Amino acid sequence: MEMEYPIDFRCPISMELMREPVTICTGVTYERKNITKWFSTYNKTTCPATMQPLRSFDITPNHTLKRLIDAWLGENDHHHRHQSPPSTRHHDLVSLLSTIGSSPFKVTCLKKLRSIVEMGEDTKADFIQSGGVEVVVQILVQILFETSDFVTFRASEEALALLHLLPISSDHDDDTNTFDILSKPDSMTSMAIVLQRGSAEARFYAITIFKNITKTDYDWTFIIQDQGIGFFKSLLELLSDEICTKASSCALEVLIQVLSPSKKSRLKAIEAGAVCVLIELLPDSSSRSKCEKILQLVKLLCECAEGRLALVEHHMGIPAISKTLLNVSNTATKTAVKIMWLISSFHPTERVVEEMLVYGSVKKLLALLHMEGRRSSTKDKVVRMFKLHAHSWRKYPCFPSDFNHYLGLVDVSC
């Protein structure tokens, strides 16, 4: 079982244990490589956790925290930590839940509650059965009524830090109760607001909960209508995050779930710039799975005329899709062929047809036609593309003449 690191030992950007903690002028401590990348690679001028403008970009090693982390790791070498008896933990839990509503120190109380919940599955179940989800969500949704109050916003962020630890399911009774509460309109709206305006840490908690909700039968229509383009912009921003890969992965899963059933949601995503973001991420996809999922999203967006137009107008659109053909996986190739089919069938401009040839799509499609021994939907799409455009492609001097005999497989006169 993975060791649960204390929250104060985790970098607010990556949520990973800090090995080289450094502090910036706001007093917040980060992992050196993450905050350096925040400043130098992304050219940010704010504190990631508080979003305060910075007067100085100096970083100072936090030797005290480094010693504390090293000492804690030494004491927990075998992943065991000293725990108070269950009866004491339950008493502390119930006591905190009964007083937190009237306490002026909600953030402190929430941190104490979180430390109890993190002790294991038993304490999570005790928290849920004691009505903890309802109590904490009441703090979360205050963000809807006191929108400009910093203390309220911080309490909402800390509430998400606790809630993201809980299991969410539409099957198990306790988990269903958690899902029912978190999926209410006020709860979802509050989390969407934090996703757009919260600290890097809080956005990670929000997107983690949203990812867990995608595993249920939740209908995203309300949150899409309520938050509009801003919801998609926040998801795309997280998807582009190269520092916190966990947040990026969660955002990818949420986008697939949200866009798959709804054309209206796709149109909003396109308006938010989704095609541009996905195309620019595609060449740098670090894993086969991520590449396949990005292509899946591009395919969904290209089923709309607006999505196809956005792709062909992007200077990297056709080159990026072409590069994935026969280069990533069988699944990626099939999806890329679908995208090429949509583009070449519904947007067959001279420029599109030419770029497919110049950037290698035609050569790879010819090779794919030769490789596909038996009939398949992918091969059928390739054949139809050649029926539509082979005559135009053969006019170009860069057409691969050594593949001309493949065209015998295609009756271009049809």
Side-chain angles (χ1 to χ4, degrees):
M1 184 177 178
E2 185 180 352
M3 187 184 298
E4 288 283 353
Y5 302 117
I7 184 60
D8 293 330
F9 293 173
R10 301 180 191 179
C11 174
I13 296 176
S14 67
M15 299 309 298
E16 302 290 343
L17 180 73
M18 288 184 280
R19 301 291 182 180
E20 194 177 358
V22 295
T23 303
I24 64 174
C25 64
T26 56
V28 182
T29 298
Y30 301 93
E31 175 66 27
R32 180 186 289 274
K33 67 178 181 180
N34 294 337
I35 194 63
T36 300
K37 193 169 187 178
W38 178 264
F39 291 148
S40 60
T41 303
Y42 296 108
N43 297 316
K44 299 290 188 179
T45 59
T46 56
C47 171
T50 66
M51 300 310 291
Q52 292 175 260
L54 300 177
R55 63 180 184 277
S56 168
F57 298 95
D58 294 339
I59 56 177
T60 306
N62 191 330
H63 297 300
T64 302
L65 182 57
K66 172 68 171 153
R67 286 193 292 270
L68 288 171
I69 292 173
D70 290 342
W72 188 88
L73 287 172
E75 293 174 1
N76 292 270
D77 220 12
H78 301 290
H79 293 195
H80 295 302
R81 62 173 72 181
H82 177 72
Q83 296 183 356
S84 56
S87 58
T88 304
R89 293 199 301 271
H90 176 75
H91 177 270
D92 293 343
L93 180 65
V94 172
S95 177
L96 283 165
L97 290 175
S98 63
T99 59
I100 193 171
S102 58
S103 172
F105 307 110
K106 288 183 173 57
V107 171
T108 301
C109 292
L110 285 164
K111 286 183 176 180
K112 290 179 180 178
L113 276 172
R114 183 180 180 187
S115 68
I116 295 173
V117 170
E118 284 180 326
M119 288 180 180
E121 296 305 315
D122 289 345
T123 54
K124 287 179 184 177
D126 190 14
F127 174 82
I128 294 170
Q129 292 166 7
S130 299
V133 180
E134 294 95 325
V135 173
V136 174
V137 165
Q138 283 300 313
I139 296 172
L140 168 66
V141 300
Q142 286 305 306
I143 197 175
L144 300 177
F145 311 106
E146 301 175 41
T147 55
S148 60
D149 185 74
F150 176 76
V151 175
T152 299
F153 199 92
R154 272 294 297 121
S156 295
E157 291 185 323
E158 196 59 43
L160 286 180
L162 194 161
L163 293 169
H164 96 285
L165 298 170
L166 305 177
I168 298 174
S169 170
S170 53
D171 298 325
H172 190 275
D173 288 344
D174 288 343
D175 300 350
T176 299
N177 182 51
T178 303
F179 166 69
D180 289 342
I181 298 169
L182 288 177
S183 61
K184 288 181 178 179
D186 282 356
S187 303
M188 294 295 290
T189 301
S190 300
M191 288 187 282
I193 290 172
V194 174
L195 195 69
Q196 296 174 55
R197 293 169 38 201
S199 65
E201 196 174 356
R203 291 199 302 271
F204 170 74
Y205 299 140
I207 196 64
T208 299
I209 296 173
F210 279 157
K211 181 197 173 185
N212 292 336
I213 289 176
T214 64
K215 300 173 184 176
T216 69
D217 56 358
Y218 178 72
D219 183 353
W220 294 85
T221 303
F222 165 76
I223 201 67
I224 293 168
Q225 292 176 345
D226 183 63
Q227 295 297 305
I229 296 173
F231 177 62
F232 289 102
K233 286 184 175 180
S234 60
L235 289 175
L236 293 169
E237 184 179 342
L238 282 174
L239 180 59
S240 305
D241 190 340
E242 296 178 4
I243 298 178
C244 188
T245 55
K246 290 181 180 179
S248 177
S249 176
C250 289
L252 191 56
E253 296 288 347
V254 173
L255 277 167
I256 290 172
Q257 186 68 24
V258 171
L259 296 182
S260 293
S262 168
K263 182 177 179 180
K264 288 184 179 180
S265 66
R266 296 177 204 176
L267 292 174
K268 288 185 182 294
I270 293 165
E271 190 176 351
V275 174
C276 180
V277 171
L278 292 168
I279 289 298
E280 291 176 6
L281 285 174
L282 197 53
D284 299 323
S285 299
S286 56
S287 69
R288 181 181 69 180
S289 175
K290 183 176 181 180
C291 182
E292 290 172 351
K293 290 173 181 176
I294 290 176
L295 284 170
Q296 182 182 349
L297 285 172
V298 174
K299 192 266 294 182
L300 287 171
L301 297 177
C302 283
E303 290 174 357
C304 303
E306 294 83 351
R308 295 191 291 272
L309 183 62
L311 187 143
V312 300
E313 287 185 345
H314 195 294
H315 70 283
M316 287 175 55
I318 291 177
I321 302 300
S322 298
K323 187 177 179 181
T324 64
L325 283 166
L326 301 177
N327 197 39
V328 178
S329 68
N330 187 45
T331 299
T333 294
K334 288 181 178 180
T335 309
V337 167
K338 291 177 184 177
I339 295 169
M340 287 298 184
W341 162 244
L342 289 167
I343 296 301
S344 63
S345 299
F346 295 98
H347 205 92
T349 64
E350 183 178 350
R351 174 172 164 264
V352 168
V353 173
E354 181 178 358
E355 285 192 357
M356 287 180 68
L357 181 65
V358 170
Y359 291 109
S361 300
V362 176
K363 186 173 182 178
K364 290 183 177 181
L365 290 172
L366 282 167
L368 185 63
L369 191 62
H370 180 64
M371 292 163 56
E372 288 277 349
R374 56 187 179 82
R375 183 165 182 173
S376 67
S377 61
T378 301
K379 182 176 179 178
D380 287 346
K381 289 182 177 65
V382 174
V383 169
R384 281 184 280 173
M385 277 188 270
F386 276 108
K387 284 185 176 182
L388 286 171
H389 304 301
H391 182 70
S392 299
W393 286 327
R394 296 173 83 172
K395 295 178 182 178
Y396 290 95
C398 57
F399 185 81
S401 57
D402 54 328
F403 284 100
N404 269 329
H405 65 283
Y406 287 171
L407 294 178
L409 297 171
V410 183
D411 181 7
V412 296
S413 64
C414 292

